[in-house]
Amino acid sequence: MLTLYHCADARSLRCLWAFEELGLQYALKVLPYPPRLKAPEFLQINPVGTVPYLVDGNVTMNESAAILQYLAVKYGDGKLAVGVDEPAFGAWLNWLSFGEAGLTVPLASALRFSFLEPEEKRQPALAEGFRTTYFERLGAVDAALAKSKYLCADRFTAADISVGYALHLTARMKMLERASPRVQAYFAELQTRPAYQRAKEKQKAAAPQA
């Protein structure tokens, strides 16, 4: 059985959301954040100490965008993936990576330097620079959505999960109003998907007790 190590609202939410979209059977292990500090025994399982951490038999993975591609290609039976012979295949791969490298990285850096670091190490100007970069890059999402309801292939795919997570984090940081009306409407629709809602409920139900 697939096993996912996860922290509530971390990047691993992408994987949990994909599990629910695909109707897969899986075991969910929810850890306190950050696990490398609050669940040090996790380092015996994943020496990097980060989530997501996917275990599928002898396969282990710890990059959320790569896990999305793995699940879509191996278990999706055409759902969430774009085939290599489809015109949008390259765009699909690009959006999968862009959701993480292009969007979530500067957003997480803004979160780090404005909140997660000890107060004496916080750098408001640097954090605002990362936020500015993030919202500039959201312009590419807005442009894609001007042409289609979804990011590529005219259907919901793992690319929308990848980018959708960045928007989920934006909302958690109470900054969604800085996004364009089109991007806000896109995320509002993503939130209505039953699989997204189930993923949020399951992470809450499985959360470790304080």
Side-chain angles (χ1 to χ4, degrees):
M1 177 181 288
L2 293 159
T3 300
L4 177 67
Y5 291 85
H6 168 60
C7 293
D9 293 319
R11 289 166 164 93
S12 45
L13 182 61
R14 287 184 175 118
C15 312
L16 184 54
W17 183 358
F19 282 161
E20 291 297 323
E21 291 283 356
L22 296 173
L24 300 177
Q25 296 294 313
Y26 61 93
L28 181 63
K29 308 288 187 181
V30 179
L31 304 171
Y33 184 87
R36 65 185 178 277
L37 298 179
K38 295 188 177 180
E41 66 279 6
F42 179 55
L43 292 169
Q44 300 301 313
I45 299 168
N46 173 19
V48 178
T50 59
V51 293
Y53 191 67
L54 177 74
V55 180
D56 183 15
N58 293 324
V59 175
T60 59
M61 302 177 69
N62 61 1
E63 290 292 336
S64 62
I67 292 170
L68 285 180
Q69 184 178 353
Y70 177 83
L71 294 173
V73 172
K74 185 169 183 178
Y75 293 109
D77 194 26
K79 189 176 182 181
L80 297 187
V82 174
V84 295
D85 295 326
E86 294 185 71
F89 177 65
W92 181 66
L93 293 176
N94 196 71
W95 283 117
L96 281 174
S97 293
F98 186 75
E100 173 56 23
L103 296 178
T104 305
V105 167
L107 192 60
S109 297
L111 181 63
R112 172 187 172 187
F113 287 109
S114 61
F115 179 74
L116 296 180
E117 288 284 357
E119 190 168 354
E120 66 274 12
K121 293 184 178 181
R122 294 175 189 175
Q123 300 184 49
L126 182 60
E128 181 57 29
F130 282 121
R131 286 191 288 267
T132 298
T133 295
Y134 170 74
F135 285 105
E136 288 174 350
R137 291 177 180 179
L138 270 187
V141 178
D142 184 88
L145 295 174
K147 302 174 185 177
S148 176
K149 181 178 179 180
Y150 298 113
L151 292 174
C152 62
D154 291 320
R155 63 181 186 272
F156 180 85
T157 71
D160 298 287
I161 295 177
S162 183
V163 171
Y165 171 72
L167 297 173
H168 170 91
L169 187 56
T170 307
R172 291 283 296 168
M173 294 171 67
K174 302 185 185 306
M175 298 192 305
L176 194 62
E177 69 278 359
R178 289 179 62 171
S180 71
R182 183 180 289 119
V183 170
Q184 290 185 51
Y186 166 70
F187 181 58
E189 181 158 335
L190 292 182
Q191 290 178 284
T192 68
R193 295 187 69 84
Y196 172 82
Q197 296 173 4
R198 288 195 302 271
K200 289 186 65 181
E201 286 299 315
K202 288 189 176 181
Q203 74 173 8
K204 181 179 179 180
Q209 299 298 311

